[in-house]
Amino acid sequence: MSDKSQIGLIGLAVMGQNLARNLARAHKVTVYNRTTETMQDFIGEHGSENLAGEAELEGFVNSLEKPRKIILMVKAGRAVDAVIGSLLPFLDKGDIIIDGGNSHFPDTIRREKELSEKDMNFFGCGVSGGEEGALNGPSIMPGGSTKVWKELEPILKKIAAKDFEGEPCVTYIGENGAGHYVKMVHNGIEYAVMQMMAEAYDFYRSNGLSASEIGNIFEKYNQGKLKSFLFEISVPILRKKDEKGTDEYLLDLILDKAGQKGTGRWTGIEGLERGIDISCIQQAVNARIVSSRKNYRVELDKKYKKPYADKTLPKDVVKELVPVIENGLYAAMLIAYAQGFDLLRQAAEEMEWDLNYAEIARIWQGGCIIRAQILKTLTEAFKEANNAPLWEIEQIVSDLQDNWLDLRATVSLGVQAGTPLFCLGAALASFEAMSDARGSANFIQGLRDSFGAHTYKRIDQDGIFHTEWS
Ligand code: NBP
């Protein structure tokens, strides 16, 4: 038997280290990192786990069985091109580079094309689950040629998380950039879901509830239809006390500026480019942008009086609202998913990807950040309706019908409390507009025709019309 490794992994930051250890449970793995010390420290700690380290790329490549399978877990963008460039002189035809980072899908399409011209394989593979997922089982969204998928399938199935039925959270997504596209939309939905949760938190906080009281409500939410990884981890976050000399809840001491690394923004732009309403995702990005202008917000806060600022609802009323807001959040999250899947459907048509939406919902059931009970509902809905758009599927229509009025109530409560409802408001408007046969765009058309002779159509006669309005 060869003493070579079956897999190589480059990039030993948090994701790479954990993924390497996961892979090493069933394969011999060689690792490499640009900064050699990081690799040495990692091997010093985990070298006994079927892991070997190489300080030079040539030695790294030579340590691998052919065709070589090399997973990149480096920072998305230029670093990926830099690593590919320095690997190429040592690779042979048929070798496979797998990009497990959050690369932007056009880059993946370009890289696959460039490598295939050299008879080498490039495979874009979305990996979700953060450090814990990478170690114990992520959700994996692979895209590239079916031939390469066949080679990688047994490896990826072994390291993936499990869905509610115990099946691996990995499925072939589609050609070239499809895996990274689906991972990008996954992240966009993650932005929306987190923002919706933050808005519910903000509503309760504005009404005088402490972080730990909100933790009790979120704990309850995590036992019902909102059951999810994100609600689960929010409970200890809400209950955590400061350990640095105050008696406050730590959450109340965290600066209210949210970071972002780009996948939400990319998804938002895709919605605009492809003409699909994904306002929940776009508004979640906007909310982070506004949050980042902390100093300016502090200045404006001083200028505008808020007459509702110290008006809170009585505690027993807030208690009665808990199930209403639960239903409202559920409806809003269904709408965010419906928007995300609409975008996937449009991209699939334009990019000629044969996406299986039931399978995509299924592999998000485990391992990834948005893993949640709701994904079981979506998987079953897509399966029963042969992957029809979510808005049309009987189960989803019935769920939205049952919960939509509570989303209305939630939004109206939030407005009265002065809670900025970027996402919950967007979800309500999007749903009500999408399910309204008679919208307001006749007014827009009237204006456009008046100032720019853009013409309009009528609902009662065929043809294109223009009017001298004044
Ligand atoms: P980072 O995204 O922070 O990347 C750090 C790694 O990239 C280090 O190993 C670093 O090497 C290497 N690197 C850089 Br930076 N520039 C390089 C270059 N020019 N040549 C070679 N190596 C270079 O790590 P991460 O957070 O573990 O994420 C890895 C990938 O997984 C990213 O694409 C990320 O978006 C994605 N992802 C992250 C998460 C998460 O929760 N963090 C979740 C899902 C996906 P060095 O040690 O020498 O600086």
Side-chain angles (χ1 to χ4, degrees):
M1 211 178 115
S2 149
D3 61 353
K4 298 212 170 202
S5 292
Q6 285 111 35
I7 302 160
L9 185 142
I10 298 182
L12 290 172
V14 61
M15 290 297 283
Q17 291 203 8
N18 285 293
L19 201 67
R21 293 181 62 205
N22 184 350
L23 285 159
R25 290 192 188 113
H27 315 87
K28 187 168 177 206
V29 181
T30 305
V31 294
Y32 169 90
N33 194 65
R34 178 181 62 175
T35 308
T36 305
E37 205 186 338
T38 310
M39 179 277 289
Q40 287 165 337
D41 290 348
F42 177 65
I43 292 299
E45 205 172 332
H46 300 289
S48 59
E49 298 175 22
N50 222 9
L51 289 154
E54 286 286 341
E56 301 299 331
L57 269 180
E58 186 169 10
F60 166 81
V61 170
N62 289 337
S63 77
L64 305 175
E65 278 178 5
K66 290 186 190 174
R68 302 177 181 98
K69 299 175 191 69
I70 300 173
I71 302 182
L72 311 187
M73 290 307 291
V74 301
K75 198 177 173 70
R78 271 176 300 182
V80 177
D81 288 313
V83 175
I84 295 171
S86 42
L87 266 174
L88 278 179
F90 309 114
L91 295 183
D92 293 314
K93 286 182 179 173
D95 286 348
I96 304 169
I97 299 180
I98 304 134
D99 178 9
N102 277 339
S103 289
H104 199 194
F105 74 96
D107 288 336
T108 305
I109 294 173
R110 168 181 59 80
R111 288 168 187 143
E112 199 215 24
K113 195 163 172 287
E114 284 169 4
L115 264 85
S116 72
E117 282 160 9
K118 296 179 168 55
D119 288 328
M120 282 176 221
N121 300 295
F122 187 79
F123 205 75
C125 203
V127 175
S128 174
E131 83 183 283
E132 199 269 338
L135 180 63
N136 294 319
S139 171
I140 308 176
M141 292 149 256
S145 81
T146 46
K147 192 172 133 259
V148 175
W149 162 244
K150 283 287 151 226
E151 296 234 19
L152 299 179
E153 188 177 358
I155 298 172
L156 298 180
K157 281 191 166 165
K158 265 186 217 137
I159 63 163
K162 299 277 190 284
D163 67 15
F164 291 118
E165 307 295 329
E167 296 300 318
C169 289
V170 57
T171 191
Y172 176 68
I173 301 282
E175 296 289 322
N176 52 61
H180 275 141
Y181 196 94
V182 168
K183 173 64 179 20
M184 175 193 75
V185 174
H186 161 285
N187 283 28
I189 293 170
E190 177 186 311
Y191 271 56
V193 169
M194 285 166 64
Q195 178 61 27
M196 286 169 180
M197 293 170 68
E199 289 169 14
Y201 155 79
D202 195 11
F203 170 77
Y204 287 123
R205 187 181 57 174
S206 315
N207 278 294
L209 269 64
S210 71
S212 83
E213 284 173 314
I214 304 170
N216 295 342
I217 296 171
F218 278 24
E219 186 172 47
K220 226 167 157 196
Y221 286 170
N222 194 41
Q223 287 155 8
K225 58 187 171 228
L226 296 177
K227 186 171 168 49
S228 60
F229 169 70
L230 284 168
F231 269 107
E232 183 191 322
I233 62 169
S234 63
V235 177
I237 292 171
L238 285 155
R239 288 184 178 151
K240 186 91 181 159
K241 283 282 197 150
D242 178 36
E243 288 165 355
K244 293 200 187 303
T246 79
D247 194 33
E248 309 278 322
Y249 288 102
L250 180 56
L251 202 53
D252 294 332
L253 299 172
I254 295 183
L255 184 65
D256 50 333
K257 275 171 89 164
Q260 52 173 316
K261 284 194 168 170
T263 43
R265 181 166 44 85
W266 294 340
T267 319
I269 293 169
E270 272 293 296
L272 295 174
E273 296 271 1
R274 297 193 192 273
I276 298 295
D277 173 15
I278 51 159
S279 48
C280 294
I281 296 170
Q282 289 157 341
Q283 283 295 71
V285 179
N286 284 335
R288 291 200 195 184
I289 290 169
V290 172
S291 84
S292 71
R293 302 184 70 188
K294 172 75 177 177
N295 295 343
Y296 195 53
R297 287 193 287 118
V298 170
E299 284 311 306
L300 291 188
D301 193 20
K302 289 179 202 149
K303 286 193 196 298
Y304 293 95
K305 292 190 182 62
K306 312 256 171 61
Y308 51 78
D310 43 13
K311 283 190 195 139
T312 57
L313 293 167
K315 281 221 164 147
D316 54 331
V317 174
V318 175
K319 207 171 158 197
E320 277 174 27
L321 293 174
V322 169
V324 174
I325 293 170
E326 179 179 25
N327 294 343
L329 282 169
Y330 181 69
M333 287 177 191
L334 279 179
I335 293 164
Y337 275 102
Q339 291 185 343
F341 277 101
D342 271 356
L343 177 60
L344 288 179
R345 188 175 299 273
Q346 186 64 27
E349 200 183 311
E350 291 175 21
M351 306 295 288
E352 298 180 1
W353 292 327
D354 185 18
L355 300 186
N356 181 334
Y357 306 106
E359 272 295 277
I360 292 170
R362 184 190 69 72
I363 63 167
W364 289 348
Q365 287 178 12
C368 64
I369 304 299
I370 59 173
R371 62 187 184 260
Q373 194 65 30
I374 202 169
L375 283 157
K376 192 167 172 5
T377 309
L378 299 187
T379 307
E380 282 162 10
F382 274 132
K383 258 192 203 159
E384 272 172 35
N386 205 11
N387 281 324
L390 275 179
W391 303 107
E392 301 166 20
I393 302 176
E394 211 175 315
Q395 177 64 50
I396 304 303
V397 172
S398 147
D399 276 7
L400 280 172
Q401 190 64 56
D402 291 347
N403 295 284
W404 152 59
L405 290 178
D406 280 342
L407 174 57
R408 262 186 163 218
T410 304
V411 170
S412 126
L413 286 160
V415 169
Q416 285 169 48
T419 312
L421 298 174
F422 283 90
C423 277
L424 294 175
L428 182 66
S430 175
F431 172 71
E432 294 194 341
M434 278 291 272
S435 56
D436 187 1
R438 185 96 170 103
S440 58
N442 49 326
F443 181 70
I444 307 286
Q445 287 299 82
L447 291 175
R448 293 179 69 240
D449 190 52
S450 172
F451 67 68
H454 289 297
T455 72
Y456 58 89
K457 288 184 180 175
R458 297 175 57 111
I459 56 173
D460 59 340
Q461 293 173 26
D462 285 340
I464 306 284
F465 298 88
H466 169 62
T467 298
E468 288 304 321
W469 295 91
S470 58

